[in-house]
Amino acid sequence: MKTIVHKADTRGFANHGWLKSHHTFSFSSYQNAERMNFGKLRVLNDDVVQPKMGFGTHPHQNMEIISIPLKGALSHKDSMGNKRAIEVGEVQVMSAGTGLTHSEFNDSKTDEVNFLQLWIIPEEMGVAPNYEQRKFDASKRKNELQTVVAPKDKLEGDALPISQQAYIYRADLGAGNAVNLSPKNVDNGVYVFVAEGRVQVSGNTFDKRDAIGIWDVDTVEISAVENSEVIIIEVPMN
């Protein structure tokens, strides 16, 4: 088993006034040669957007982009004609493929928006752009793994499709409860991000916004020291 630990206070940070962003991996002005990626997971940004502010229209190409709101609602508009708000409990995926543009905006006059944005390197370049979002039943992740993203050729349940042999799971764990995850492929690694609470993984304790990456392993156990929310990203390591 191999592991890498990323404590919350070691992340990169940018304060743009309207946006406060923590970067787990190198992004924009935060560049760290030892924090470029975890396998095919290239970006994990923890963004807080101020009221009535947001990201103007900008392009993406050949990247799988997943957004998970943790607080508030984020309005989305893109070049494919989609115009929707992403709310807590929902997950959004965009396969940028051959190219698209989009904007993201906090329409609230009073409340911040906090969301995670993940970028996963696709297994196939130049695919047709695709956008989907879905609200997931929170009761189905209580003390169990809920698959919210899966490869487009191996979809399971309500999972949203991406162009990579990668999976994203969510779990809300009550204190004293645990979940076990066995990677789908022997070459996959598992990245555990603690959105809330405190958990134990591989004998170590992790607090809010801490993370651990694990690979060359058969099973990963995640146990809650207190009520916790975890987001788990399983990706090919090569």
Side-chain angles (χ1 to χ4, degrees):
M1 181 175 69
K2 299 176 182 177
T3 63
I4 187 166
V5 171
H6 294 150
K7 303 294 280 186
D9 61 3
T10 67
R11 298 178 296 172
F13 179 67
N15 186 348
H16 301 286
W18 65 274
L19 168 70
K20 296 181 176 66
S21 184
H22 284 92
H23 309 306
T24 294
F25 305 105
S26 292
F27 187 86
S28 188
S29 61
Y30 170 63
Q31 295 296 315
N32 182 338
E34 296 181 354
R35 299 280 285 267
M36 294 304 299
N37 61 290
F38 176 79
K40 297 300 183 182
L41 176 60
R42 175 61 189 87
V43 167
L44 201 174
N45 288 345
D46 182 0
D47 290 343
V48 175
V49 182
Q50 297 302 303
K52 302 302 294 181
M53 301 298 289
F55 301 86
T57 301
H58 58 281
H60 291 287
Q61 189 173 12
N62 288 322
M63 193 64 69
E64 304 301 302
I65 301 167
I66 300 98
S67 297
I68 305 175
L70 301 178
K71 176 186 176 183
L74 194 69
S75 293
H76 165 93
K77 184 177 181 180
D78 65 42
S79 54
M80 294 179 285
N82 299 295
K83 187 177 181 181
R84 298 178 64 180
I86 319 164
E87 300 179 347
V88 173
E90 292 187 309
V91 177
Q92 177 203 76
V93 298
M94 288 194 304
S95 293
T98 54
L100 57 81
T101 60
H102 78 131
S103 60
E104 297 157 302
F105 200 78
N106 178 6
D107 286 326
S108 173
K109 296 179 180 179
T110 57
D111 299 327
E112 295 177 336
V113 168
N114 181 202
F115 74 107
L116 302 178
Q117 187 164 96
L118 292 71
W119 294 8
I120 293 176
I121 300 168
E123 63 179 336
E124 181 183 3
M125 301 296 170
V127 301
N130 183 57
Y131 171 97
E132 296 189 38
Q133 75 181 68
R134 183 168 296 137
K135 187 174 182 66
F136 290 85
D137 185 348
S139 68
K140 294 184 178 180
R141 60 177 175 267
K142 183 65 176 175
N143 298 320
E144 61 180 311
L145 293 171
Q146 181 181 54
T147 307
V148 296
V149 171
K152 63 184 180 183
D153 59 344
K154 297 176 183 174
L155 286 177
E156 51 187 64
D158 294 329
L160 295 164
I162 59 170
S163 182
Q164 181 54 272
Q165 299 303 306
Y167 300 80
I168 299 177
Y169 313 91
R170 301 185 73 171
D172 296 338
L173 303 177
N177 288 277
V179 291
N180 291 280
L181 174 61
S182 297
K184 303 284 189 181
N185 299 309
V186 66
D187 294 329
N188 283 6
V190 175
Y191 194 83
V192 181
F193 181 83
V194 185
E196 295 287 344
R198 173 178 288 184
V199 304
Q200 287 189 333
V201 186
S202 298
N204 296 303
T205 301
F206 298 93
D207 294 307
K208 179 178 177 179
R209 275 16 186 216
D210 290 345
I212 178 173
I214 306 170
W215 67 106
D216 288 350
V217 66
D218 293 327
T219 303
V220 177
E221 181 180 82
I222 305 159
S223 58
V225 178
E226 58 188 49
N227 292 345
S228 301
E229 177 186 355
V230 292
I231 295 170
I232 306 158
I233 306 105
E234 178 185 339
V235 289
M237 295 303 291
N238 300 303

